[in-house]
Structure formats: C-alpha cells, structure tokens
Amino acid sequence: MAAMSWKEILLLTGLVVGCYWNSLLCGFAFDDVSAILDNKDLRPSTSLYNLFRNDFWGTPMTEERSHKSYRPFTVLTFRLNYLFSELSAASYHLLNVVLHAVVCVLFLRVCRLFLDKTSSLVAALLFAVHPIHTEAVSGVVGRAELLSSIFLLAAFLAYTKSTGADHSIVWAPIALTVVLVAAATLCKEQGITVVGICCVHEVFVAQGFTLPMLLDTLRRVLQGKDGFPYAVLQTLLKLIVLVISTLLLVIIRVQVIQSQLPVFTRFDNPAAVSPTPTRQLTFNYLLSVNAWLLLNPSELCCDWTMGTIPLVESLLDLRNLATLVFYTFLGLLVYHSLRYRHSSAKSVIMALSFIVLPFIPASNLFFPVGFVVAERVLYVPSMGFCVLVAHGFKIVSHKGHLKKISWLIIGVLLTTHAMKTFNRNWDWESEYTLFTSALKVNKNNAKLWNNVGHALENQNNYAKALQYFLQATRVQPDDIGAHMNVGRTYKNLNKSKEAEEAYLLAKSLMPQVIPGKKYATRVAPNHLNVYINLANLIRANESRLEEADQLYRQAISMRPDFKQAYISRGELLLKMNKLTEARDAYLRALELDPTNADLWYNLAIVNIEMKDPSEALKNFNHALELNPRHKLALFNSALLMQESGEPKFWPEANRRFLIYVEEEPDDANGYFNLGMLAMDANENAAAERWMRKAISLQAGFRSALFNLALLYSQSKREMDALPALDELLRHHPEHIKGLILKGDILMNHKKDTSGAKACFERILRMDPTNVQGKHNLCVVYFEERDLPRAERCLEETLALAPNEEYVRRHLSIVRSKMAAMSAAGQPLTSAGGATISAKEEKQKRVKGGAEDVAEVEEEGRGADAVLKGAGKEKNVRKSPTERGGVGIEQSESLDSSQSDKRTKGKSTKEIKDIEKKRAAALKRLEEIERILSGD
C-alpha cells in the first residue's frame, strides 16, 4: 500500500477549494433554515443536554412531529459555528468545505488499500469534484454526511489494522472501530453501515475468501469431514464482536426514537403508501434513477418528492427496463467479485460494498423514508462509484493503444465535473435561486412551486408568491399545504374572504376523524395548522370569537398534545377576557413543553391582565432562566419593575433594559425606558442621554420628546425645552400636554403672552372641553389685564368643572379685583397692558402672578408636572403575539393608552415630592390671593 504524499494532499485540497470557494458566498437555504436559523439548540443559552434529547432540527425526540433524525455531534458543530460567528453563513460553508477536503484525503487513504497509486488518486480526484456532492457540501445540513463519512472512513481504516503480522487478532483497533462507528452514527444514522463494509473487507479481502470457498468450507463442516479452519474461526470471532457492538448501537438508537418511526405523508414519498405492485416497482426503479445521477449528474434537483418521479404502476411501464438493466449490471459485478480471488475482484467487491451498504437505509426497500430521491445520501455511495470508475480506468489504461484515450477521457470528466460543481454551487446562493433552478429540472413537484412562493413571501412579494402557490394547487390539487399557503398569502394581501375560502378548502382535504383510530398517524402534524390559521383569521372579527375557539378545540381534540393549539387558544381567551381559561391553556401547554421560554412569557402577560404583578414577574423570570436574552421578557419584566414604584427594583430593571438594547440596538423603546428610569432616579444627565438616543433612532418619538422637554423644564433649562417641544408639535400637532408645557414656558419664562395664548387656544380648538387649556387661557387674559374676559373665561371653566375649587377661588379673586378697581375708578381693561400701575407691575415682577396661578392649577391637582396634565408619558407593555409568544411583534406606539397596561402605584419618593409641591403651591396661592386682593 503506497503512502500518501503531501503533493497529493495539496492537490486534492486545492481542487476542493477551487470547486467550492464560491459556496462561501451562499446563504442558508432549504433545510438550513430549520436546522440553523430556527434551531434553538445552537444558542449558548440552551443546555448542551438538549442536543442529546432533541432531533437534528431541535424538536424533542419524544414528540410525534420529530423526524427522529438523531445527530447530536453534527448539531454540536453547528453550535460551535454559532459560538464563533453566530448566524454568519460564510463560516458554516467554510467548515463544510474543510470537512469535504478531509473526506477526500481519507478516501484517498482508503483507496490505497485496494487500488494502485494512480488509480486511487483518480478515484479521489473524481470524488472531490463530483457534482452530486454539491448538496452535501454547499447545503449546510449536508454536514451530517461529511462528518459521518469522516468517522466512517476512519473506522474502516482502524479496522484494517486489526490483524497482526502473525495473523493474530489485535483488539485495540477493533475497540477504536466500535468507538468511531458510534461517532459516525451520532453524526448521521447511515454511519453504522461501516460495520458491513468492515465485514466484507475481512472476509473477501483480508482473508481472501471467495463465495465458492465459503460454501465449500460450510459443506465440509456440515458433512463432518472437517472443522472450521483457524482463520475462519478468527474471522468469525472478530465479526461477532462487530455485530454485537452494532446490535447494541441499534438498540440504543431504537430507544432514543421511542420505538417510533417518524410520521411521513404520501406527499413526501408517494410510493410508500401505494399498493402492491406499484410500491415495489417504483422503489426498485428508483435504484436505477440514483445510479443514473451518479453516471450523469447533469440535471440536479434539491427536492425529488411529490410528483417529481411518477409512480411505476404496471409491469408494462417501459421504465422497468431501466430497473432490469440496473440489476443485470449489478449482478454481473457481484458475480465477478465473489467468484474470483484476484485483485480486480477485491477492488470491485469493496466498491460495491461502499455503494450498496450505506445506501440501504435510504433505499426504501426495508422501511419508508421521507423522500423519494435525495442527492446528499449518495455522498458515501459515490465513493464506491468512483472506485469502480478508477478501476475501469486502470484496466483500460493498461491496454497500450487506449492509454492516451483513457487519460483524455478522465481529464475531460474531471474538468466537466469541476465546472458543473462550481456552477451548481451558485444555485445554493439563496432559496429563490435554489428552487427556481429545481423548477427548470422538474415542474411536476408542487413542493418546488410552494418553496419558490415561500422565498418570494420572505421578500414580501406576496402578489408574485401567490402565483406560485396557486400553481402548486394546480399541480397537486390535494396538497393541503399548498392551499394553506394560498390562504396565508391572501391574508397578507388583506383579502380575508379569499383567505378563508382557501383555508376551508384545505380543511376539507383533511382526513375525517375515525373513531378508535389515531388521527396523527394519518396526517402530517403541520397540516393540523390549518385549524390554527383559520381560527387566527376569523378571530379578527369580534363576532366570530366563539367560532375561532371551536376550531382551536377541534384541533386539540384531534391531538391532545398539540401545543400550538393551546398557545393560540390562550391568546384568544385573553382577548375574550376569559383570563382563568387563558391561564389554564398556557399551563397545559407548559406541561407539554416546560422549557419553552415563550410560554412562560405569555403566562406572565396573563398574570398582568389578572392584576397579579408578583406572579407575572415570577413567570417573566422563568422565561429568562430558560432564555436569558428573551427580548420581550427582558423588556416587559423591566417595565413591570419600573412600574412597581419600588426603588429596590430599579437597578435590575436598568440591567434588563441594557441587555434589551444590546439585543435590539435599533429599538428606540429600550432607550426611552432607560431614560424614564434615570428620570425616576433623578439622574438627569443619563436621562437626557437616553432620551436623545431614542429620538435619534425614531424621529418624532412623541413620549421621548415630551419627557425630554419635561426633564429640561424640571432642571430649570426651560429654553432648552422649547426646541424639543417644537419638534414634538411638528410631528404631533395635537399633543395637548406639549402645548400646555410650551404655553407655560412661553408665558412664564419668555414673557411671550401671545405665544402662550396661541398654544392654549389651539388646545381648545381641538378640545373645547379641556379644563387645563381653558383655565390657562384665563390666566393669559388675567396677565393681559383683560379682567372681564378673564372673568367670563373662568365662569366657562367652572361650568366645565363645577367641582374644581381652585377655579372657583380664582374666579372669586378676579371678581374681587374687578370690584376694587371699579371702586377706585380704574379701567377694567388695559390696552395691551399699558395702564397697569407701577405698584402692580412691581408686584408682578416680584411674584410672577401668572406663573404662580398656573402652578397652583397644577399643584392643586396633584399632577406630576409643571402645568395641569403635563405629566410624564409612559411606555406601553409589549404584548404576546398572535402566534403564542414567538417574540417578533412589538407595540406600534409607545405614547398612549399606557394606563390600561401599567400599574397605578407611585413610589414613596414621588408621593413626598408631590406633597412638597402642593405645600409650596398653597403658600404661593395665599400670596397671590393677597396681592390680587390688595388695593
């Protein structure tokens, strides 16, 4: 056996890089979305233990919807990728290319066991560039094939060292083989088939037996003429150890999947549910299809399910000839390899073992799988195919007159395959390019039309997506998923009637419930989502809430463990104000999935609605224990702490808001709430910084602009408040609190009575019954010394608010002043203030009458700000989404309706501040009344 040189390793590596470097420019496509983007097991916040209890897609193995694909080692490499680069697709593709290069080098090492130096290099080069591998290398989920192949080849190489120089058994390599087989199986299930390859190598290569020799030995033993030769006994002992180890692995694997096969539908694999002989004819024909893909990989397709390959329903179908040719050729190869002992036979038998044995789990011959044809499962079988081609090249090249032609053919083959592989990689650039390329190969697969629609849907191109979804329903009229896609797209296009019709059509295609027969075994679990989608659609109509609830309950009756139905029903019950039932729905969902942070979050929202903030905070904390960076739980729990009025909670609330803005750096809401916390803590500099950050991210952020202005006003920086108020009123001209605050600053600090008057008059044009605006306008009239108008204004204000004592008292003061001025013969109205006496002007300068009256109006009402109604504006609670706390929907406005979400309590400090303001205001009121009542 010739050793590998560094030149050969570099040649293989360079060829792999040359063929696959453009895959680094590809994103996540097809199954990558479920395995990478949607798989929580990749996140560092998820326990490593979950990798060993969940399937490849992050679904618990105990759940019926699980695909039962148990590949924790592969998921672990995804997690390492995430640790270094999170969801940067390039790093995932880079590692796949590296792993493919490692497989190529190991494969060259294996080929050297039964091929000469040149032929083995040809086999490895062909394997490196074969276009059938693009799905395994350019598709990130294909890493399962790559990792499994590495351990498979390593296990085989280890086993070949289990025979000593004196033909004795060396047990260390066998033990290592068992460990490597287990590792290969934990990367992908087909890894266990290397045991069969080792058995074939041991019997027909290492021991040199042929089938006639084995049969003759067995006949002599049975006739009692001879015992088993020592070499045979040694072989049997080694094989027994391997087989027992394999059986243990199989038993463990069966236990992991709870002795259940995954649920597939006829759409995934139509032949699997077809009657005899259609099922057998089709599955055998598929063997020739796979062989043809290895021979001629010109038309590759990412999905071969549904109607891609029509069923072979009759013996008269001409495609049966392809099956016959395949078995004839395979039979001749088997006959040749098992009958003779020469090196050619050994090469062929090993090639066949690499082709046949790893393909058996995906062949559908012994148990159905969830696909018709899958190019990535040909990754290991292609090794055997490459060995056959290289062996054929060796035979032909040794014939002198064909040597140059054989080299030319190999050169052309390597070149064309490399070009095809490079170009095929571009198809994996995005989901849209991948599925549109597949439609060029096959237009009879409704799933491909659906997937192009999904890609367009992700680009918000709903109108064009609808065309593809409708075409899917025409290609496969009974495809429930296609009709569901049509309904969802109509909903996105705001065509509720058409959406409902599509959902009802999908619902009509669902199998009817048969008493005593388990429903979930006859339908894909995701098809039950038609009830959820239809209910979510009609519940937008308040008059159909009960009808929506009935749909949720129907889904639950079909599958009592249907978690999403409980989640969606909980949302509906919350909307119907059936809080106890909503809580019970979420609790039931938590029984099914206690590690779901979104469920704990939604339960906390129900607790808030039930006026139980302590329980809500406890459940928010549960969610954060499971997912410390759960954005909505961080936001709402911090808001709840802030609202509690307890300063002891403020540091933790601040910490959570800081984490939230790390997760959502472009969300102005987080910075706004940090500013509110800083205002509560009297940290004015920090409050100003956070408010300005919020405003920079969201122009016209109403609450942030107003509270920034309020902060300046409270900090005696009234002139700085005016630009913020101007911007606020430019975006929100109806903002009454902003107008009141601006009017106060203009009147009391800029002495701009006309500007203040314009603000208050603007308020009354929008709301003639606004007591605050009306009263402050009266104050303006008083400042202008238009006492009759001030009197009429206060009378009108008193009519609006007859129970407001401060209005009544101010009216009394004005009337007293008018009476005093009349008695003194002074005019009751000044012309622009020109007749105000020097004494009154002095008193005004000293006491600032209008300011004090305005403050009395606010302080006497116990408000939180400078003028009546100009209190802090708060944030609204982020609510659970209609899909049950997935955590993608956020509040559209953060400026109003907070009262129905926030608690009402004020902190002790706030209450003391208000009492101090009240006392000061009452003192100023006494002074004003004394001044106004004076002569």
Side-chain angles (χ1 to χ4, degrees):
M1 178 184 68
M4 293 185 299
S5 68
W6 281 106
K7 290 182 180 179
E8 291 172 324
I9 294 173
L10 290 175
L11 175 61
L12 281 174
T13 303
L15 194 58
V16 168
V17 172
C19 287
Y20 286 100
W21 70 262
N22 59 334
S23 69
L24 272 63
L25 305 177
C26 299
F28 295 115
F30 204 12
D31 290 338
D32 297 348
V33 176
S34 299
I36 308 296
L37 300 182
D38 299 338
N39 192 346
K40 294 181 180 178
D41 288 347
L42 271 63
R43 278 53 174 176
S45 58
T46 304
S47 170
L48 281 172
Y49 173 71
N50 281 20
L51 271 64
F52 295 91
R53 62 185 296 271
N54 294 345
D55 67 13
F56 187 54
W57 317 99
T59 305
M61 296 291 290
T62 54
E63 291 191 14
E64 192 165 12
R65 64 190 177 95
S66 169
H67 282 226
K68 311 301 181 186
S69 46
Y70 188 65
R71 305 164 190 173
F73 281 11
T74 304
V75 180
L76 182 61
T77 65
F78 293 154
R79 185 164 173 141
L80 291 173
N81 268 121
Y82 187 92
L83 182 64
F84 287 104
S85 63
E86 294 193 350
L87 294 177
S88 172
S91 72
Y92 293 79
H93 289 293
L94 175 62
L95 185 53
N96 272 25
V97 173
V98 171
L99 292 174
H100 180 53
V102 172
V103 173
C104 293
V105 172
L106 285 174
F107 178 57
L108 174 61
R109 182 76 174 78
V110 168
C111 289
R112 289 283 158 85
L113 296 174
F114 36 81
L115 288 175
D116 61 29
K117 184 176 181 179
T118 301
S119 301
S120 59
L121 182 60
V122 167
L125 292 173
L126 182 58
F127 179 81
V129 302
H130 202 295
I132 202 70
H133 300 154
T134 52
E135 181 171 350
V137 181
S138 298
V140 177
V141 296
R143 186 176 301 174
E145 320 292 335
L146 305 175
L147 286 170
S148 179
S149 298
I150 288 174
F151 288 113
L152 181 149
L153 294 173
F156 177 72
L157 288 171
Y159 184 79
T160 59
K161 300 181 182 299
S162 62
T163 301
D166 56 352
H167 300 287
S168 61
I169 299 175
V170 183
W171 290 106
I174 294 178
L176 179 59
T177 299
V178 172
V179 172
L180 291 171
V181 169
T185 307
L186 291 174
C187 294
K188 191 174 182 183
E189 298 77 5
Q190 70 179 25
I192 201 170
T193 59
V194 69
V195 173
I197 298 174
C198 292
C199 291
V200 170
H201 180 270
E202 178 67 29
V203 174
F204 297 104
V205 177
Q207 301 300 330
F209 290 113
T210 63
L211 186 60
M213 291 173 61
L214 288 175
L215 292 176
D216 182 63
T217 301
L218 182 61
R219 179 180 57 80
R220 293 174 63 86
V221 170
L222 291 176
Q223 291 177 351
K225 295 180 179 180
D226 200 356
F228 282 111
Y230 180 72
V232 173
L233 291 175
Q234 275 194 319
T235 300
L236 284 174
L237 181 59
K238 292 168 69 174
L239 296 185
I240 287 171
V241 171
L242 278 181
V243 170
I244 290 176
S245 302
T246 304
L247 289 175
L248 288 174
L249 288 174
V250 170
I251 291 171
I252 294 171
R253 183 68 174 80
V254 170
Q255 290 296 317
V256 167
I257 66 173
Q258 307 289 307
S259 303
Q260 295 178 341
L261 288 174
V263 177
F264 297 119
T265 69
R266 58 191 175 87
F267 302 112
D268 299 315
N269 191 346
V273 295
S274 299
T276 301
T278 299
R279 180 170 66 255
Q280 290 77 13
L281 290 174
T282 303
F283 282 157
N284 281 279
Y285 168 68
L286 292 178
L287 299 178
S288 62
V289 172
N290 282 281
W292 181 248
L293 286 174
L294 290 174
L295 280 168
N296 181 30
S298 59
E299 293 187 341
L300 300 178
C301 182
C302 62
D303 192 295
W304 295 80
T305 56
M306 303 187 88
T308 303
I309 300 176
L311 298 174
V312 181
E313 299 178 306
S314 168
L315 289 171
L316 300 178
D317 193 312
L318 291 178
R319 289 177 293 172
N320 289 317
L321 292 176
T323 306
L324 184 62
V325 170
F326 170 77
Y327 276 113
T328 300
F329 186 70
L330 181 64
L332 289 173
L333 289 175
V334 171
Y335 175 81
H336 170 79
S337 60
L338 294 181
R339 185 171 181 82
Y340 302 105
R341 297 186 65 180
H342 49 67
S343 61
S344 176
K346 293 180 180 180
S347 298
V348 172
I349 192 65
M350 289 309 303
L352 290 176
S353 67
F354 272 95
I355 292 175
V356 175
L357 295 177
F359 186 73
I360 286 176
S363 67
N364 281 294
L365 295 178
F366 298 98
F367 49 83
V369 293
F371 54 83
V372 178
V373 172
E375 293 166 10
R376 63 174 174 260
V377 303
L378 292 174
Y379 189 77
V380 176
S382 69
M383 295 179 184
F385 171 78
C386 292
V387 170
L388 281 180
V389 173
H391 182 60
F393 162 78
K394 173 186 173 182
I395 294 173
V396 173
S397 63
H398 284 176
K399 300 181 184 296
H401 61 287
L402 295 177
K403 183 175 182 179
K404 292 183 178 180
I405 295 177
S406 62
W407 275 105
L408 178 63
I409 292 174
I410 286 295
V412 171
L413 189 63
L414 291 175
T415 302
T416 55
H417 274 28
M419 293 174 61
K420 172 66 177 178
T421 296
F422 185 82
N423 290 328
R424 173 63 174 161
N425 290 334
W426 290 121
D427 292 341
W428 289 85
E429 184 177 9
S430 68
E431 292 204 315
Y432 182 76
T433 56
L434 179 63
F435 297 127
T436 50
S437 71
L439 281 176
K440 295 175 184 177
V441 175
N442 171 38
K443 291 180 169 57
N444 297 320
N445 186 340
K447 190 174 179 181
L448 293 176
W449 292 100
N450 279 321
N451 284 331
V452 175
H454 287 309
L456 292 168
E457 191 179 32
N458 291 335
Q459 300 170 11
N460 296 324
N461 191 347
Y462 299 121
K464 193 172 181 181
L466 180 61
Q467 297 174 13
Y468 282 88
F469 290 141
L470 288 172
Q471 180 62 25
T473 63
R474 288 189 282 269
V475 171
Q476 189 89 32
D478 58 350
D479 182 7
I480 297 171
H483 291 288
M484 290 169 63
N485 291 334
V486 170
R488 186 183 62 256
T489 309
Y490 273 130
K491 181 182 177 183
N492 289 330
L493 291 170
N494 297 317
K495 296 183 178 181
S496 299
K497 181 181 178 182
E498 292 86 347
E500 184 173 351
E501 290 173 355
Y503 284 139
L504 288 172
L505 181 55
K507 182 171 172 284
S508 69
L509 295 171
M510 297 284 286
Q512 299 301 309
V513 178
I514 301 173
K517 189 169 183 180
K518 193 175 182 183
Y519 183 84
T521 59
R522 296 179 291 111
V523 67
N526 64 311
H527 283 172
L528 285 174
N529 284 326
V530 67
Y531 295 95
I532 306 300
N533 294 347
L534 181 56
N536 288 345
L537 175 69
I538 66 175
R539 80 187 212 183
N541 186 338
E542 296 289 338
S543 64
R544 302 181 69 182
L545 297 183
E546 291 293 343
E547 185 180 349
D549 190 34
Q550 177 62 33
L551 286 167
Y552 291 136
R553 283 185 278 137
Q554 186 176 355
I556 291 170
S557 68
M558 292 176 175
R559 277 191 60 179
D561 63 343
F562 192 11
K563 178 182 64 180
Q564 188 58 46
Y566 290 106
I567 294 172
S568 298
R569 185 166 185 252
E571 277 292 319
L572 177 66
L573 293 168
L574 186 60
K575 184 177 182 179
M576 297 169 70
N577 204 33
K578 296 182 178 180
L579 302 180
T580 303
E581 293 181 57
R583 180 192 62 193
D584 293 343
Y586 285 129
L587 288 173
R588 173 65 180 129
L590 281 166
E591 290 177 10
L592 298 170
D593 188 6
T595 61
N596 189 321
D598 294 329
L599 287 177
W600 287 106
Y601 167 80
N602 282 4
L603 183 60
I605 296 296
V606 176
N607 295 140
I608 289 176
E609 294 297 322
M610 297 179 75
K611 313 300 182 188
D612 191 353
S614 61
E615 191 67 21
L617 186 57
K618 185 187 302 181
N619 289 324
F620 279 138
N621 290 338
H622 271 303
L624 291 171
E625 286 172 7
L626 294 167
N627 181 6
R629 304 190 84 82
H630 190 291
K631 290 180 283 191
L632 290 179
L634 284 166
F635 183 93
N636 283 290
S637 62
L639 195 59
L640 193 62
M641 291 176 177
Q642 181 182 358
E643 293 168 345
S644 68
E646 293 290 340
K648 65 180 181 181
F649 287 134
W650 292 351
E652 178 61 18
N654 192 75
R655 186 188 71 83
R656 293 187 184 187
F657 277 133
L658 286 172
I659 298 175
Y660 176 79
V661 297
E662 287 178 10
E663 293 293 306
E664 291 288 341
D666 297 326
D667 186 0
N669 310 328
Y671 300 102
F672 169 75
N673 281 281
L674 283 167
M676 295 297 289
L677 270 174
M679 286 183 71
D680 289 339
N682 291 323
E683 298 173 358
N684 293 345
E688 179 182 356
R689 184 174 70 254
W690 293 126
M691 291 297 181
R692 286 198 171 278
K693 177 67 174 177
I695 294 166
S696 69
L697 291 171
Q698 182 179 324
F701 192 159
R702 192 170 74 174
S703 293
L705 284 166
F706 176 76
N707 282 288
L708 179 61
L710 187 61
L711 175 67
Y712 286 144
S713 178
Q714 292 174 341
S715 304
K716 308 301 182 185
R717 297 168 59 188
E718 289 81 2
M719 294 303 103
D720 291 334
L722 284 176
L725 288 169
D726 288 338
E727 185 178 353
L728 169 67
L729 295 170
R730 181 167 57 85
H731 287 94
H732 308 283
E734 78 293 346
H735 197 285
I736 290 176
K737 290 182 180 181
L739 287 167
I740 289 176
L741 183 56
K742 182 178 179 181
D744 171 69
I745 294 173
L746 289 174
M747 184 167 62
N748 294 318
H749 300 281
K750 289 196 72 175
K751 307 306 178 184
D752 184 359
T753 308
S754 62
K757 184 178 181 180
C759 289
F760 301 138
E761 287 176 341
R762 188 166 155 190
I763 291 171
L764 294 175
R765 283 195 297 271
M766 291 185 291
D767 180 11
T769 64
N770 187 283
V771 176
Q772 303 97 298
K774 186 76 172 176
H775 177 269
N776 288 348
L777 182 60
C778 301
V779 174
V780 172
Y781 294 149
F782 181 83
E783 280 292 304
E784 293 176 342
R785 289 298 185 255
D786 191 346
L787 298 184
R789 196 171 184 183
E791 180 187 26
R792 289 194 303 272
C793 181
L794 287 168
E795 287 173 348
E796 292 170 0
T797 305
L798 188 62
L800 292 174
N803 297 322
E804 296 293 356
E805 184 59 32
Y806 74 96
V807 178
R808 191 182 306 276
R809 190 161 59 250
H810 291 170
L811 178 59
S812 175
I813 291 172
V814 171
R815 284 174 175 171
S816 298
K817 182 66 174 177
M818 290 173 67
M821 292 178 72
S822 296
Q826 296 177 353
L828 299 180
T829 304
S830 63
T835 62
I836 297 177
S837 67
K839 178 180 178 182
E840 288 171 341
E841 177 62 24
K842 180 180 178 181
Q843 290 172 339
K844 181 177 182 293
R845 285 200 306 270
V846 173
K847 299 297 182 181
E851 179 180 4
D852 288 328
V853 172
E855 286 190 346
V856 168
E857 171 242 335
E858 181 269 323
E859 297 291 353
R861 303 288 297 141
D864 295 334
V866 178
L867 283 174
K868 181 172 174 60
K872 289 182 185 177
E873 290 197 2
K874 303 292 186 178
N875 211 336
V876 297
R877 174 103 34 223
K878 291 179 180 284
S879 302
T881 68
E882 287 188 359
R883 293 184 295 164
V886 177
I888 60 174
E889 294 186 10
Q890 296 183 1
S891 55
E892 295 180 1
S893 171
L894 294 162
D895 307 309
S896 60
S897 68
Q898 183 57 29
S899 58
D900 61 347
K901 288 292 186 182
R902 295 179 64 89
T903 56
K904 303 296 184 181
K906 292 182 179 294
S907 68
T908 304
K909 183 178 183 300
E910 287 176 321
I911 293 172
K912 288 180 179 179
D913 288 343
I914 291 170
E915 291 300 327
K916 287 180 181 178
K917 289 180 180 179
R918 284 178 177 170
L922 289 173
K923 183 177 180 181
R924 288 195 297 271
L925 177 60
E926 292 174 357
E927 294 175 350
I928 292 167
E929 290 174 347
R930 177 173 55 80
I931 293 168
L932 295 177
S933 301
D935 293 333

